[in-house]
Amino acid sequence: MTTTLPTTTSKGASLRRSLGLWAIVGLGLGYMTPTVVFDTFGIVSGQTNGVVPAAYLVALVVMMFTAISYGKMAGAIPSAGSAYTYVRESMHPNLGFMVGWTSLVDYVLLPMVNCLIIRLYLEQLFPAVPGWIWVVVYCAGVTTLIAVTMRGTSNVNMILLVFAIAVMIVFVVMVVVQLAGGAGDGTVASVKPFVHDGVTLGAILTGATVVCFSFIGFDAVTMYAEEAKTPKIMPRAILFTVIIGGAIFLVAAYFTQLRFPTNAPFGEFTDDPLPQIGRIVGGPVFQAIFVSAGFCATLASGLASHASVSRMLLVMGRNNVLPRRFFGYISPKTQTPIFNIVLVGVISLLAMAFSLELISAFINFGALIAFTFVNISVIAWFAIRKGRRRTAKDIVRFILLPGIGTVLTGILWVNLHADALIGGIIWAVIGFAYLVFLTRGFRRPVAGFDESQPVTGFNKAVEKE
């Protein structure tokens, strides 16, 4: 039997190892939001000239190399952490801080992009209602829910995830029947969604930088390393999350591309054509079900990401990376980091002003930086620190594979939206200046973004005494 962790952790408490392989994979898939493939479909189809599956295939290959590197580092450093933890331990704390600071963009903006997707859904269903109203209602509801309790959301997330995947399966079956009847490209077997006249590698790479957004969250399973039944399952859990998530994206994108060779059927709604896809494939009734699936998957991701970034900001406040009085505060009434939760909610209000393409590019900036440095961390930790570079097997595992992952993620990074590159670089410069301030000109050690023990009860448990 377990009890929920209180606001403060007693000395000697440890995380209960209760999560199996598939439980961790399920949590990772929930973070990835499977229906996002339909949200970005119009954007990517336009950028790639109708080869969305090719963009997903490229992204999947890159993510698999990165997932292998995450698995190696999770096995070597079996503590709840992420890219910044691995960089800090394998290379240098200051570099780890910079990777963590850059990645902070992902964590902070992901709740906002979920709000933005919800807004795009509802604007299409209720065109007479101004979009900003949906943003305000969503932010108020999610912020209030998480402010009251950060516990118990994982079970809700799993239910929402299962529902979303079930609807996606029904969608694929309906599309297959329609393709067999002559709709779209009129075939269920074609290479056209991957290559045809007019498609360029540059366009595919540009599309791949957008669909990388779909994979964001697979690395979130590293935070459950201390709760896995055994640390040995973490590398498999990370890789399985990427492979299964990638397979879902590929299958959905393939059949959707065959059914919609161009964006013409979506009219003005190419920014997020999910509601239009549902209406065209199955009529108003299926549209409602399809949007409900997208809504549920997005809400699940929104709850998880909002709670997670609030906790991350709390840890940064507790560690004096950010001002402790504000970011390290826990409400005695709700026992949650209420200031952080409200702050994330306020930031999410910006969803009324930005496009999905631009915000996803900003998120991908930080994610691709993190992925690149995780690959480099494998080389630094194993090949350099541990000296595992003397055999052909070690060279392949700890130099060649992570080296390929580094190059591939770097290629995607330089193909990002220009505004995202500029904004991300500015954010990194601010982070460097803040690092100089925190370390008093690099004369003091910098605190980490994480800690060995949890500080809230969110998805954490200890052995009952």
Side-chain angles (χ1 to χ4, degrees), residues 181-241:
D185 277 338
T187 178
V188 295
S190 173
V191 297
K192 188 177 176 183
F194 295 95
V195 61
H196 59 255
D197 292 340
V199 174
T200 64
L201 178 59
I204 293 174
L205 289 175
T206 300
T209 63
V210 177
V211 302
C212 275
F213 167 71
S214 305
F215 289 87
I216 289 178
F218 84 84
D219 58 319
V221 301
T222 58
M223 74 174 67
Y224 300 107
E226 290 182 271
E227 294 162 272
K229 289 182 178 178
T230 169
K232 293 181 180 179
I233 69 174
M234 289 308 300
R236 284 184 293 154
I238 295 168
L239 188 58
F240 286 177
T241 299

Side-chain angles (χ1 to χ4, degrees), residues 147-206:
V148 171
T149 175
M150 290 177 72
R151 304 179 178 92
T153 58
S154 59
N155 291 335
V156 174
N157 287 350
M158 189 61 69
I159 293 171
L160 297 178
L161 172 65
V162 170
F163 171 67
I165 292 178
V167 173
M168 290 178 70
I169 292 172
V170 173
F171 166 80
V172 169
V173 172
M174 293 175 67
V175 168
V176 168
V177 172
Q178 293 178 11
L179 289 171
D185 277 338
T187 178
V188 295
S190 173
V191 297
K192 188 177 176 183
F194 295 95
V195 61
H196 59 255
D197 292 340
V199 174
T200 64
L201 178 59
I204 293 174
L205 289 175
T206 300

Side-chain angles (χ1 to χ4, degrees), residues 109-118 213 298 351 356 359-360 363:
L109 294 185
L110 195 54
M112 184 177 82
V113 85
N114 287 304
C115 177
L116 173 57
I117 290 172
I118 295 294
F213 167 71
T298 305
L356 180 58
I359 296 303
S360 64
I363 292 175

Side-chain angles (χ1 to χ4, degrees), residues 100-122:
W101 178 268
T102 307
S103 301
L104 190 59
V105 173
D106 311 357
Y107 291 99
V108 172
L109 294 185
L110 195 54
M112 184 177 82
V113 85
N114 287 304
C115 177
L116 173 57
I117 290 172
I118 295 294
R119 187 203 89 197
L120 293 173
Y121 290 166
L122 295 175

Side-chain angles (χ1 to χ4, degrees), residues 207-280:
T209 63
V210 177
V211 302
C212 275
F213 167 71
S214 305
F215 289 87
I216 289 178
F218 84 84
D219 58 319
V221 301
T222 58
M223 74 174 67
Y224 300 107
E226 290 182 271
E227 294 162 272
K229 289 182 178 178
T230 169
K232 293 181 180 179
I233 69 174
M234 289 308 300
R236 284 184 293 154
I238 295 168
L239 188 58
F240 286 177
T241 299
V242 169
I243 292 174
I244 295 172
I248 292 172
F249 295 141
L250 264 176
V251 171
Y254 173 78
F255 286 107
T256 305
Q257 191 72 80
L258 286 175
R259 182 63 180 81
F260 300 98
T262 71
N263 283 339
F266 308 142
E268 62 182 299
F269 301 113
T270 55
D271 269 1
D272 190 338
L274 182 145
Q276 302 307 311
I277 290 173
R279 180 184 60 80
I280 296 169

Side-chain angles (χ1 to χ4, degrees), residues 109-440:
L109 294 185
L110 195 54
M112 184 177 82
V113 85
N114 287 304
C115 177
L116 173 57
I117 290 172
I118 295 294
R119 187 203 89 197
L120 293 173
Y121 290 166
L122 295 175
E123 280 180 338
Q124 294 181 50
L125 294 178
F126 306 98
V129 180
W132 66 266
I133 292 179
W134 300 122
V135 172
V136 171
V137 171
Y138 173 88
C139 289
V142 170
T143 301
T144 301
L145 177 61
I146 297 188
V148 171
T149 175
M150 290 177 72
R151 304 179 178 92
T153 58
S154 59
N155 291 335
V156 174
N157 287 350
M158 189 61 69
I159 293 171
L160 297 178
L161 172 65
V162 170
F163 171 67
I165 292 178
V167 173
M168 290 178 70
I169 292 172
V170 173
F171 166 80
V172 169
V173 172
M174 293 175 67
V175 168
V176 168
V177 172
Q178 293 178 11
L179 289 171
D185 277 338
T187 178
V188 295
S190 173
V191 297
K192 188 177 176 183
F194 295 95
V195 61
H196 59 255
D197 292 340
V199 174
T200 64
L201 178 59
I204 293 174
L205 289 175
T206 300
T209 63
V210 177
V211 302
C212 275
F213 167 71
S214 305
F215 289 87
I216 289 178
F218 84 84
D219 58 319
V221 301
T222 58
M223 74 174 67
Y224 300 107
E226 290 182 271
E227 294 162 272
K229 289 182 178 178
T230 169
K232 293 181 180 179
I233 69 174
M234 289 308 300
R236 284 184 293 154
I238 295 168
L239 188 58
F240 286 177
T241 299
V242 169
I243 292 174
I244 295 172
I248 292 172
F249 295 141
L250 264 176
V251 171
Y254 173 78
F255 286 107
T256 305
Q257 191 72 80
L258 286 175
R259 182 63 180 81
F260 300 98
T262 71
N263 283 339
F266 308 142
E268 62 182 299
F269 301 113
T270 55
D271 269 1
D272 190 338
L274 182 145
Q276 302 307 311
I277 290 173
R279 180 184 60 80
I280 296 169
V281 169
V285 174
F286 184 73
Q287 180 188 38
I289 297 172
F290 202 50
V291 171
S292 296
F295 191 98
C296 287
T298 305
L299 179 60
S301 177
L303 288 169
S305 59
H306 196 133
S308 294
V309 69
S310 299
R311 182 187 183 278
M312 181 181 182
L313 293 172
L314 172 62
V315 173
M316 292 173 69
R318 286 288 182 89
N319 291 354
N320 289 312
V321 175
L322 294 174
R324 185 185 181 98
R325 184 181 296 273
F326 182 93
F327 292 96
Y329 176 80
I330 292 181
S331 167
K333 183 176 181 179
T334 63
Q335 295 188 336
T336 58
I338 194 163
F339 291 166
N340 298 339
I341 294 168
V342 172
L343 175 63
V344 175
V346 170
I347 293 173
S348 296
L349 289 172
L350 294 174
M352 65 180 70
F354 288 94
S355 70
L356 180 58
E357 181 179 6
L358 181 59
I359 296 303
S360 64
F362 274 114
I363 292 175
N364 286 340
F365 176 92
L368 288 170
I369 289 290
F371 295 164
T372 299
F373 275 94
V374 168
N375 284 303
I376 296 174
S377 294
V378 173
I379 300 173
W381 180 266
F382 291 98
I384 298 176
R385 283 181 176 259
K386 301 300 180 181
R388 300 189 63 176
R389 56 183 183 273
R390 296 179 177 85
T391 67
K393 182 178 179 181
D394 281 350
I395 290 174
V396 170
R397 294 178 63 197
F398 305 125
I399 298 178
L400 181 59
L401 292 180
I404 293 173
T406 300
V407 172
L408 293 177
T409 51
I411 290 173
L412 293 185
W413 186 81
V414 298
N415 280 279
L416 278 172
H417 193 292
D419 290 343
L421 284 172
I422 295 170
I425 291 171
I426 292 172
W427 177 251
V429 170
I430 293 172
F432 182 78
Y434 189 49
L435 174 63
V436 173
F437 169 77
L438 287 176
T439 59
R440 301 297 187 268

